[in-house]
Amino acid sequence: MSRYRNLSLFLVLAAVWGSAFMAINAGLAYFPPVLFAALRYDIAGVVVLGYAAYVVDDPIPRGRGEWKLVAVGAVLLIAAYHAFLFIGQTDPEVTSAVASVTVGLSPVLTTVFARAFLPSERLTLLGVVGLLVGLAGAGVLAAPDPANLTAGGTVAKFLVLLAAAAFALGSVLTRALDVGMEIETMEAWSMLFGAAIMHAIAFGLGESMAEVVWTTDAVLALGYLAVFASGLGYLIYFDLLDRLGPIEINLVSYVAPVFAALSGWLVLDEGLTPNTIAGFLLICCGFALVKRATIREELRRKGVVA
């Protein structure tokens, strides 16, 4: 029963987070990027904090360990990840599918960071090869023009890659700093402090509420991202992170592009390019090499291989 529950939650998370890339691209027509991300987590943080107050005995972090965990979540999982991602997606070359596939490199990067902070993880020679294959996939996605590295969305795609790295590092550190903190409490305070950080960044970039164009589509995009992609999505994510670990749960990055491509095509009339598909396949191959032992053991448990 637990396995089916995990699978169901995994697919819901992939659908919610995959379609979030479409909602981001849709909303960026009405919001400055970092301010858009900050407003998203203003709302999500308040919603999740209210939920935490209802289900948790003490929804306030206590002690240095818990506040350190909140700081990691706020800086890496919320502020850095979303600031880089939203700015990157302002470029027309970064479609919903391209953004989600680039973020799909995070499981490979997670394994690299896990080696440093989680002693049980080790990269062998084939693991290093897998990492390089995954990075090659990111390079294929970026498709840089040597004559002009600022053309074709190269810089924007690199920013999305930085977002993936921030998320991967945050996933590992939250696991390494496990202090028994309630998921709802950690998520709520990380969102609120992450939103505050992004408001400061937005102010530094000269973004303001005067630039926001309030339309029905803008409200729908913001509401979907705040309530479903952030509130519901992160509750599912941290629940699965606790039971599956950072590497296995980040496999969601390989399923989310399917939902990102479908929603981008249906809502925004976005298309898939050969580079997007090739980059996705390379990243998948890289992860398979990095985690071949885990995959082989899982197949053996299910009787697929001897």
Side-chain angles (χ1 to χ4, degrees):
M1 184 63 68
S2 176
R3 178 172 296 180
Y4 291 117
R5 177 177 180 273
N6 289 348
L7 177 60
S8 299
L9 289 175
F10 183 92
L11 291 176
V12 170
L13 182 62
V16 170
W17 278 6
S19 56
F21 291 99
M22 173 276 298
I24 292 170
N25 272 355
L28 285 171
Y30 310 101
F31 297 91
V34 181
L35 182 59
F36 185 19
L39 292 172
R40 167 185 179 177
Y41 282 99
D42 287 335
I43 299 170
V46 171
V47 170
V48 176
L49 183 59
Y51 179 72
Y54 178 72
V55 300
V56 176
D57 291 335
D58 184 7
I60 306 296
R62 305 293 179 183
R64 172 184 285 185
E66 292 192 355
W67 282 111
K68 185 182 293 185
L69 190 60
V70 167
V72 168
V75 172
L76 293 174
L77 295 177
I78 303 299
Y81 172 67
H82 291 91
F84 285 132
L85 177 64
F86 278 53
I87 294 174
Q89 284 196 246
T90 58
D91 192 303
E93 293 291 325
V94 183
T95 64
S96 304
V98 167
S100 62
V101 171
T102 305
V103 170
L105 188 61
S106 63
V108 179
L109 298 174
T110 297
T111 302
V112 176
F113 292 129
R115 190 196 186 287
F117 297 102
L118 299 175
S120 61
E121 298 288 341
R122 291 288 183 270
L123 273 181
T124 62
L125 178 59
L126 273 179
V128 173
V129 173
L131 171 63
L132 295 176
V133 171
L135 290 174
V140 169
L141 280 169
D145 178 2
N148 184 6
L149 289 178
T150 63
T154 301
V155 173
K157 293 170 187 175
F158 178 71
L159 290 176
V160 178
L161 179 60
L162 288 180
F167 195 87
L169 179 58
S171 297
V172 171
L173 290 180
T174 53
R175 179 79 166 187
L177 293 172
D178 184 18
V179 293
M181 189 178 186
E182 295 289 349
I183 294 171
E184 296 85 358
T185 302
M186 182 268 185
E187 181 181 346
W189 289 99
S190 293
M191 287 180 174
L192 291 172
F193 281 109
I197 293 170
M198 288 189 288
H199 275 293
I201 295 172
F203 178 79
L205 293 174
E207 298 180 359
S208 73
M209 290 295 294
E211 299 176 64
V212 178
V213 180
W214 292 106
T215 67
T216 300
D217 287 344
V219 172
L220 288 174
L222 180 60
Y224 182 80
L225 289 171
V227 177
F228 291 97
S230 300
L232 176 63
Y234 273 94
L235 283 174
I236 295 174
Y237 174 79
F238 283 113
D239 179 53
L240 292 177
L241 176 65
D242 186 54
R243 285 182 284 117
L244 301 180
I247 293 173
E248 279 70 22
I249 181 53
N250 276 351
L251 279 171
V252 73
S253 300
Y254 293 136
V255 184
V258 177
F259 294 97
L262 285 174
S263 59
W265 172 65
L266 288 171
V267 179
L268 303 178
D269 197 28
E270 296 175 342
L272 282 175
T273 68
N275 275 14
T276 303
I277 298 171
F280 174 68
L281 293 176
L282 281 171
I283 290 172
C284 286
C285 289
F287 184 83
L289 286 172
V290 170
K291 293 301 295 177
R292 67 196 181 285
T294 301
I295 295 170
R296 184 169 56 246
E297 180 60 29
E298 183 65 19
L299 293 176
R300 185 178 291 115
R301 275 199 308 140
K302 293 180 178 179
V304 179
V305 297

